[in-house]
Amino acid sequence: MHIDLDEIKIEENLSEIYAMAEKSVGLMLYKNIRVSFAESCTGGLLSEIITSVPGASSVFEAGFCTYSERIKMKILSVPESVISETTVVSEETALHMARGMKDVSSSDIAVSVTGIAGPSGAMEGKPVGTVCVAFCYGGKEETTTLKFYKLGERDRETIRKLTASAVYLHLNEILTDWK
């Protein structure tokens, strides 16, 4: 999976992101699909947005805010070796988070996000605005690294909203193509 920030309409406006989630819920209701989220840098925002939509209780299985490395390992079974070798902000960690969420929830789609929302926390090669995302669904696994720092300096809240926007945009692509 690759999300090109120059080619998609990333939203900072929460009302537009809520509209994307409403579309997701409608598609999941129609196709009888359930979703779960494993969140780190978004701090539960993905879960908060989807639960604001009427009917979400029929499609939203679970949302875990796994902020610490310890909880990522304990709850989502992210191997300690993955975190120590690639850091907690990596596509590998995001993929293990999504796999763990899928195993725990038995949902059809599991989504994970881990990143650096700032203003501190930057690492070598991973500035503030680096967010790794993974989707596990239908036997497929997709990961990408969102590089919001390329859009210019953004604050913590904006990075969280941009991440939610990117997740719901891609989730809707997956759901639209779901057979």
Side-chain angles (χ1 to χ4, degrees):
M1 167 180 76
H2 176 71
I3 297 175
D4 188 340
L5 299 178
D6 296 327
E7 294 180 11
I8 65 170
K9 185 170 174 24
I10 299 285
E11 283 292 340
E12 294 182 34
N13 183 333
L14 272 178
S15 65
E16 294 298 322
I17 301 168
Y18 281 92
M20 287 183 240
E22 190 172 335
K23 179 180 178 182
S24 295
V25 169
L27 287 166
M28 286 186 283
L29 285 168
Y30 179 74
K31 297 182 179 194
N32 194 30
I33 295 169
R34 297 181 69 80
V35 69
S36 294
F37 298 122
E39 303 185 60
S40 189
C41 64
T42 49
L45 183 61
L46 299 174
S47 299
E48 189 280 322
I49 289 170
I50 199 167
T51 57
S52 72
V53 178
S57 60
S58 296
V59 299
F60 181 56
E61 188 69 24
F64 294 167
C65 184
T66 56
Y67 217 66
S68 73
E69 292 177 13
R70 183 178 69 81
I71 296 299
K72 285 175 179 67
M73 291 184 290
K74 183 174 183 174
I75 303 292
L76 299 176
S77 303
V78 177
E80 186 175 3
S81 60
V82 168
I83 293 173
S84 64
E85 292 169 16
T86 66
T87 78
V88 73
V89 180
S90 67
E91 290 184 26
E92 293 84 355
T93 297
L95 181 57
H96 281 280
M97 289 171 64
R99 286 175 181 163
M101 190 70 214
K102 195 158 187 344
D103 288 344
V104 168
S105 69
S106 298
S107 58
D108 301 297
I109 302 172
V111 183
S112 70
V113 295
T114 183
I116 307 165
S120 61
M123 301 178 229
E124 185 176 331
K126 297 175 184 181
V128 169
T130 302
V131 179
C132 299
V133 182
F135 290 79
C136 291
Y137 63 97
K140 297 179 184 175
E141 297 179 332
E142 299 178 337
T143 63
T144 194
T145 300
L146 303 169
K147 300 174 181 175
F148 294 125
Y149 55 86
K150 289 187 172 186
L151 301 174
E153 189 174 329
R154 297 290 195 267
D155 66 18
R156 182 177 189 81
E157 274 311 298
T158 301
I159 290 168
R160 293 175 67 233
K161 289 176 191 174
L162 292 171
T163 301
S165 177
V167 165
Y168 280 107
L169 280 168
H170 192 62
L171 180 59
N172 284 336
E173 289 172 2
I174 290 169
L175 293 167
T176 299
D177 293 341
W178 194 284
K179 302 293 180 218

